[in-house]
Amino acid sequence: MSFVDSILSSLSSLEMNYTLLLLIAVTIPGLIIFLLMTVNAIVAVYMERKISAFMQDRLGPMEVGIFGFKGGKRFWGGIGQTIADAIKLLAKEDIIPKDADKFMMILAPFIIFIASFITFVGVPLSQDFLISNFNIGILYILAMSSVGVIGIILAGWSSNNKWSLYGAMRAASQIISYEIPIAITLLLPVIISGGLDVHTIVDWQLQNRWLILHSPFTFIAFFIFFVSGIAETNRTPFDIPEAESELVAGWMTEYSGFRWSLFFLSEYTNMLIISLVASFVFLGGWGSPLTIINLLPGDYMYLDGPILGFFWLLLKAIALIFIMMWFRWTFPRLRVDQLMYLCWKVFIPFAIFNMLAVGVWEVLF
Amino acid sequence: MKEYFNNIVGGIQSFWKGLSLTFKHMKNKKDLVATLQYPNEKWPIPERNIGFNLSEYNVIRSRLHVDMDDCIGCLQCERACPVDCIKIDTIKPPKESEFDCGKTSFGTQKKLVVPRFTIDMSECMYCNLCVYPCPEECIYMVGGPNEDKHEIDYEFSQYSRDGLIYEFADATDEDILSVGGDEYIKTREERKKRIADGESLNGTEILPGKEENVSVTASSAPAPSLDKPDFTVVNEIEDRVTRATAKKAFTQKFKEKASFQEISKFVKLSLEENGKYSSNLDDIIKRISEMTAPDSTDGGSSESAPAQEEMTHKSFNDLENKMQRGIVKKLFIGEKKKGLSDLDILKLIRAELKTKEMLDDQAKELLKKLMLQSVNPKETPKVESDVFDLKKLNDIEDKMTRGLAKKVYTKSKRDGKKSTEILADIESELQSQEKLTGSVDAVITGIRESI
């Protein structure tokens, strides 16, 4: 049962107008998702700044605190930095260039934001927090996560700036290319578990084993999915759309203040979405990671549940986000041709081969 | 094909190598982080050997410090400072007071209270010249040979520039008051307030219009504030000796800023004393008593307005040719008496110069300039002085209305209208735009009452 349904059934005793009831049932998860996105962005930016600093032998933000509390003395200081940054961004002047297409320029950040917002409708946060339970869950996520390209192209075109346009074209080509390996690798869990539904895939993993450990081919598939996911979120080493040294800020060049912060918010939300999808498709979803090592005797299912499930899923997602950041501060940016080479000549052949091999594996074992 | 797989294997290897390198750095951050959080952490100062004992080294360019207990307020360091970065105020206790200023460590009896001893280290050039004249050796550079008096301070950085002004004086307000420094404290507080006002942009701005108003009220007062006595009336006396006596009396009283009534009485008195008084002088004395400051009678400061704009024969002083200048001046004075306008005179002058073949470039230029001046006479500040201040209109709350009112104000003012006329203009304009609400009307009547 989906989250919206459970709210509806629990509120049905109130004898309210059905339209109003439906509105409430939709607004509550919407607010929760928005809160999650904001908190995720604030925490992840702080984490990213700290991790990048440590990897480069620096300290990162150390001075800004909340209510006088700066955090740890030696390394983890400055916990208020991203909150201060967010307030600063909201207070900034909103500049729209004279020659820009005003309507489209204003529209673009909202399309990008909405694209990452509505993807959450199909992404589970725990076994009971799935806003709408589609029987085509994975297909929905795939479809919605690529809507953002429209916003990117709109932003790049309407800015009336060559850097923006270059950035947008690069982003579009990159995202469309990397859709293919993602789609093919996501077919593997469907082949194995026998359903596009989120619950079917996770339940199969809980009953058998995590898909990443199921066969060598699913391991490769996880790797391909994750790296392609990083490419989809336009992060380093695949950040040629906004390559600072070449294109100033790519399609975000002409944006400032609140609109720019919407881009930023959706970028970090996309990271969270890719990590959540990877963890529920390949890493056992809301199941406890203790099930693999199997240290606890007997019935260890008490470690699961709606609250703990949320915790496990988020833990896995945060671990993957950390890996994304680790990638970002390790590898240099790929050239455009290298990027396309990696996608079309490496990932896609391997993904197709994987799919065939998994089919054979399923028949044999 | 082999190369393709080799590339993939190589890629994965370098991938792993890179990741492990960055992870190693992150894991060992305790040893590897190179950042020094400066104001909180500092590098240790290295031990150093400069070849001789530091205490024998007589000059060290660090921060100036004053041992206030030893300062006798002799101002020698203030005088020695080539950049005037030392500022000292002293107060001498009155003889009858029992206040004890104390003794220096050299045993000298201090005779002055020092309520202010500031050194602006942002101005100091570390020349050390203030140190030598000090008779009590109380001003010195810290550290080095003076290490035992005050530890070295070489990085006195501050968040604001004011922080670099060091105040050494330790005399309390009570001390200052007990030696009769009320006046000193008063002026100090006043100065502080003025600085604070200036920093918060609340300082009083002296507008030219306001200043003009002040001078008008002063000159309309009974006592003349002009610095030159007006002898036009006195000059009508025909007898030379009588005239001189009258003038002398007039000037004497005038310098005392007496009113014209008093002057006239005094003139009469002095004439009587000298035996020169006759009944035919009564008329003149009466006229003197009726004299007022020249500009108060004709209702305004029109004559006190700067006369530079007006053309006189002196305007031609710029001409270098003597002959030319003489001709022009003569002509000008002659024509001016006939009552011709400036422009006509200038035209005449040009024609005259042309006939005498003396119209060179310089003369042409000057004439052109003067003609322009006489055609568009510059606005005298007199007009502004009559009119109420534009800021009074700020009381109007609505932005649009205020803008409109101000627009009308500036326009009417440029046309040289009076305050009442301007107000009427504003009212009619607002009425035509249907913006004359009750509150706006109240503001306008308020202004009208204030003038």
Side-chain angles (χ1 to χ4, degrees):
Chain A
M1 198 158 73
S2 71
F3 189 61
V4 175
D5 288 337
S6 57
I7 291 174
L8 275 178
S9 62
S10 60
L11 288 181
S12 57
S13 58
L14 286 174
E15 287 180 12
M16 258 193 283
N17 186 359
Y18 184 71
T19 335
L20 193 69
L21 201 68
L22 205 63
L23 208 66
I24 290 171
V26 171
T27 314
I28 290 171
L31 284 177
I32 291 174
I33 293 302
F34 185 74
L35 202 69
L36 182 79
M37 285 167 79
T38 326
V39 170
N40 167 60
I42 285 173
V43 173
V45 170
Y46 177 70
M47 194 171 137
E48 174 131 43
R49 292 185 68 173
K50 277 294 175 189
I51 287 169
S52 69
F54 295 153
M55 285 179 176
Q56 296 169 348
D57 298 344
R58 296 182 286 115
L59 278 174
M62 287 297 285
E63 287 302 317
V64 187
I66 312 168
F67 303 122
F69 177 69
K70 280 186 194 173
K73 268 267 154 61
R74 189 72 184 89
F75 290 107
W76 296 93
I79 50 171
Q81 183 70 51
T82 39
I83 295 166
D85 281 347
I87 293 167
K88 176 207 75 178
L89 270 180
L90 293 183
K92 259 188 168 179
E93 189 190 355
D94 184 19
I95 300 166
I96 294 178
K98 203 178 102 192
D99 289 339
D101 188 328
K102 282 204 182 79
F103 175 69
M104 288 211 282
M105 187 148 175
I106 292 168
L107 189 67
F110 292 103
I111 290 181
I112 294 174
F113 177 76
I114 286 166
S116 48
F117 188 72
I118 56 174
T119 317
F120 262 108
V121 174
V123 176
L125 290 180
S126 82
Q127 61 249 54
D128 289 336
F129 196 96
L130 178 55
I131 293 167
S132 188
N133 197 1
F134 305 107
N135 53 7
I136 49 158
I138 283 185
L139 189 64
Y140 174 80
I141 292 166
L142 266 179
M144 282 307 141
S145 63
S146 43
V147 168
V149 187
I150 299 170
I152 290 175
I153 292 182
L154 266 188
W157 179 260
S158 62
S159 295
N160 204 354
N161 173 334
K162 43 183 160 317
W163 289 311
S164 301
L165 189 59
Y166 270 127
M169 297 317 278
R170 285 184 183 187
S173 69
Q174 175 181 334
I175 291 172
I176 291 168
S177 304
Y178 278 88
E179 281 287 305
I180 300 164
I182 285 182
I184 296 172
T185 45
L186 279 183
L187 274 181
L188 265 65
V190 177
I191 292 170
I192 295 166
S193 65
L196 285 159
D197 185 4
V198 172
H199 278 281
T200 322
I201 294 169
V202 178
D203 286 345
W204 186 92
Q205 291 181 75
L206 291 180
Q207 276 152 26
N208 299 291
R209 62 193 76 77
W210 288 11
L211 270 173
I212 189 173
L213 304 168
H214 180 60
S215 70
F217 307 111
T218 45
F219 180 80
I220 296 171
F222 167 75
F223 183 79
I224 292 173
F225 171 80
F226 188 62
V227 174
S228 307
I230 296 173
E232 271 237 317
T233 53
N234 296 332
R235 283 178 64 82
T236 324
F238 306 104
D239 69 337
I240 53 159
E242 45 177 290
E244 290 95 344
S245 48
E246 302 162 33
L247 301 178
V248 189
W251 43 276
M252 299 194 276
T253 305
E254 299 290 359
Y255 284 88
S256 63
F258 177 65
R259 295 177 212 294
W260 190 83
S261 64
L262 276 186
F263 284 141
F264 215 63
L265 193 62
S266 61
E267 189 190 318
Y268 278 85
T269 310
N270 285 338
M271 273 169 74
L272 184 67
I273 288 170
I274 290 289
S275 306
L276 280 173
V277 171
S279 36
F280 88 75
V281 171
F282 290 100
L283 299 178
W286 45 80
S288 149
L290 297 172
T291 50
I292 0 166
I293 23 178
N294 208 355
L295 279 175
L296 294 161
D299 186 14
Y300 42 76
M301 289 302 277
Y302 59 84
L303 280 173
D304 290 336
I307 308 292
L308 271 176
F310 175 70
F311 171 71
W312 293 128
L313 192 62
L314 213 63
L315 193 73
K316 289 165 189 172
I318 287 171
L320 288 180
I321 287 176
F322 167 73
I323 293 174
M324 282 186 178
M325 290 169 181
W326 188 8
F327 277 17
R328 174 168 180 180
W329 298 104
T330 301
F331 300 118
R333 183 184 308 129
L334 267 69
R335 227 163 44 212
V336 184
D337 63 315
Q338 287 169 338
L339 191 86
M340 290 299 154
Y341 178 93
L342 187 69
C343 178
W344 292 96
K345 287 191 170 173
V346 182
F347 282 173
I348 291 177
F350 269 79
I352 291 170
F353 169 75
N354 260 337
M355 197 170 68
L356 291 173
V358 161
V360 175
W361 184 280
E362 285 301 298
V363 171
L364 291 178
F365 300 100
Chain B
M1 200 65 185
K2 196 182 165 194
E3 203 195 331
Y4 173 79
F5 282 107
N6 277 343
N7 277 346
I8 289 173
V9 172
I12 291 167
Q13 275 171 353
S14 71
F15 176 84
W16 188 246
K17 212 172 168 181
L19 284 179
S20 55
L21 180 76
T22 44
F23 193 77
K24 210 163 69 196
H25 275 261
M26 202 182 85
K27 210 178 77 189
N28 300 330
K29 57 181 177 289
K30 272 200 175 104
D31 305 325
L32 291 172
V33 164
T35 311
L36 186 83
Q37 289 185 280
Y38 168 64
N40 307 328
E41 303 170 347
K42 283 172 188 173
W43 289 114
I45 309 162
E47 290 284 324
R48 55 174 188 174
N49 182 3
I50 50 175
F52 50 87
N53 192 353
L54 212 67
S55 60
E56 288 161 14
Y57 191 53
N58 66 353
V59 177
I60 180 161
R61 308 289 160 100
S62 60
R63 183 164 69 77
L64 273 175
H65 183 78
V66 183
D67 282 338
M68 218 41 218
D69 294 341
D70 288 355
C71 179
I72 57 169
C74 63
L75 308 187
Q76 300 230 43
C77 50
E78 189 185 23
R79 277 182 218 129
C81 183
V83 291
D84 289 347
C85 72
I86 303 175
K87 303 265 160 54
I88 306 171
D89 290 344
T90 53
I91 300 175
K92 192 176 174 64
K95 266 181 189 169
E96 64 275 12
S97 90
E98 296 287 301
F99 189 80
D100 182 23
C101 297
K103 278 187 176 177
T104 66
S105 53
F106 282 7
T108 318
Q109 173 64 41
K110 291 203 274 183
K111 286 173 185 164
L112 295 166
V113 174
V114 183
R116 180 194 182 194
F117 196 124
T118 51
I119 300 181
D120 189 348
M121 286 313 287
S122 64
E123 278 184 51
C124 180
M125 64 178 196
Y126 309 98
C127 62
N128 211 38
L129 285 176
C130 54
V131 172
Y132 302 118
C134 184
E136 302 293 325
E137 293 179 17
C138 70
I139 183 166
Y140 52 85
M141 294 278 183
V142 298
N146 301 315
E147 184 74 43
D148 46 339
K149 288 196 209 162
H150 192 292
E151 63 169 2
I152 192 157
D153 181 10
Y154 51 87
E155 44 173 15
F156 35 102
S157 48
Q158 298 285 343
Y159 284 107
S160 77
R161 233 185 303 177
D162 296 355
L164 283 171
I165 302 173
Y166 289 83
E167 170 67 78
F168 294 102
D170 53 2
T172 57
D173 283 4
E174 286 161 30
D175 291 347
I176 298 168
L177 282 174
S178 63
V179 296
D182 324 21
E183 196 65 21
Y184 178 81
I185 288 186
K186 215 175 108 193
T187 47
R188 194 179 62 184
E189 294 306 317
E190 230 170 64
R191 207 173 290 161
K192 254 187 213 167
K193 195 181 153 286
R194 235 177 287 151
I195 290 172
D197 280 353
E199 275 170 356
S200 57
L201 300 179
N202 282 335
T204 44
E205 188 186 358
I206 298 169
L207 297 167
K210 272 187 185 168
E211 219 170 35
E212 203 59 36
N213 271 335
V214 170
S215 74
V216 167
T217 46
S219 58
S220 60
S225 64
L226 297 171
D227 30 354
K228 268 194 176 176
D230 188 2
F231 290 133
T232 42
V233 181
V234 186
N235 278 347
E236 284 173 28
I237 303 173
E238 275 171 19
D239 181 43
R240 236 176 65 196
V241 185
T242 321
R243 191 165 67 215
T245 323
K247 262 191 186 178
K248 205 174 158 190
F250 189 99
T251 326
Q252 190 191 337
K253 266 292 160 189
F254 191 90
K255 276 184 183 161
E256 288 167 18
K257 304 214 167 161
S259 72
F260 280 102
Q261 276 89 356
E262 286 171 45
I263 292 174
S264 64
K265 271 179 204 159
F266 186 75
V267 169
K268 195 179 168 189
L269 201 75
S270 62
L271 283 175
E272 272 170 352
E273 270 174 15
N274 288 308
K276 299 280 177 195
Y277 182 71
S278 57
S279 56
N280 56 357
L281 292 175
D282 268 353
D283 180 45
I284 285 165
I285 288 164
K286 199 180 161 220
R287 272 166 68 193
I288 292 175
S289 72
E290 280 166 0
M291 258 169 76
T292 42
D295 35 358
S296 61
T297 38
D298 41 26
S301 50
S302 59
E303 266 160 60
S304 75
Q308 310 154 286
E309 309 298 335
E310 235 173 65
M311 200 162 71
T312 62
H313 63 277
K314 281 175 187 162
S315 308
F316 301 101
N317 279 354
D318 287 354
L319 289 176
E320 266 165 29
N321 190 324
K322 216 169 163 184
M323 284 273 286
Q324 202 182 33
R325 194 163 67 220
I327 291 166
V328 170
K329 278 192 180 175
K330 204 171 153 192
L331 208 79
F332 178 83
I333 294 165
E335 296 301 325
K336 191 83 182 173
K337 273 185 185 160
K338 284 179 197 165
L340 281 177
S341 77
D342 288 351
L343 194 66
D344 290 346
I345 297 170
L346 287 167
K347 276 177 187 167
L348 266 173
I349 289 170
R350 195 161 66 177
E352 180 75 9
L353 282 177
K354 217 167 188 176
T355 50
K356 294 202 169 165
E357 292 181 350
M358 275 179 179
L359 192 66
D360 56 12
D361 286 10
Q362 200 197 7
K364 260 186 200 168
E365 218 160 86
L366 186 75
L367 285 172
K368 206 172 160 189
K369 202 178 91 194
L370 289 171
M371 271 181 187
L372 275 176
Q373 248 179 40
S374 61
V375 172
N376 325 310
K378 273 189 191 160
E379 241 184 272
T380 49
K382 165 228 163 189
V383 183
E384 284 166 43
S385 70
D386 276 355
V387 178
F388 65 92
D389 202 65
L390 179 64
K391 280 178 185 165
K392 282 184 179 165
L393 287 173
N394 282 350
D395 294 340
I396 300 173
E397 265 168 35
D398 184 51
K399 217 168 156 186
M400 290 275 288
T401 319
R402 193 166 62 222
L404 204 66
K406 281 188 177 179
K407 215 167 153 186
V408 175
Y409 172 87
T410 21
K411 190 169 173 287
S412 309
K413 197 169 129 184
R414 206 178 299 132
D415 294 346
K417 288 181 182 170
K418 289 262 169 62
S419 302
T420 40
E421 287 170 326
I422 292 175
L423 281 174
D425 278 359
I426 291 171
E427 249 176 347
S428 63
E429 177 68 25
L430 290 180
Q431 211 141 34
S432 69
Q433 303 268 348
E434 295 179 356
K435 290 241 164 76
L436 193 70
T437 55
S439 61
V440 177
D441 206 36
V443 170
I444 290 174
T445 34
I447 297 170
R448 188 169 288 149
E449 277 160 15
S450 73
I451 29 181

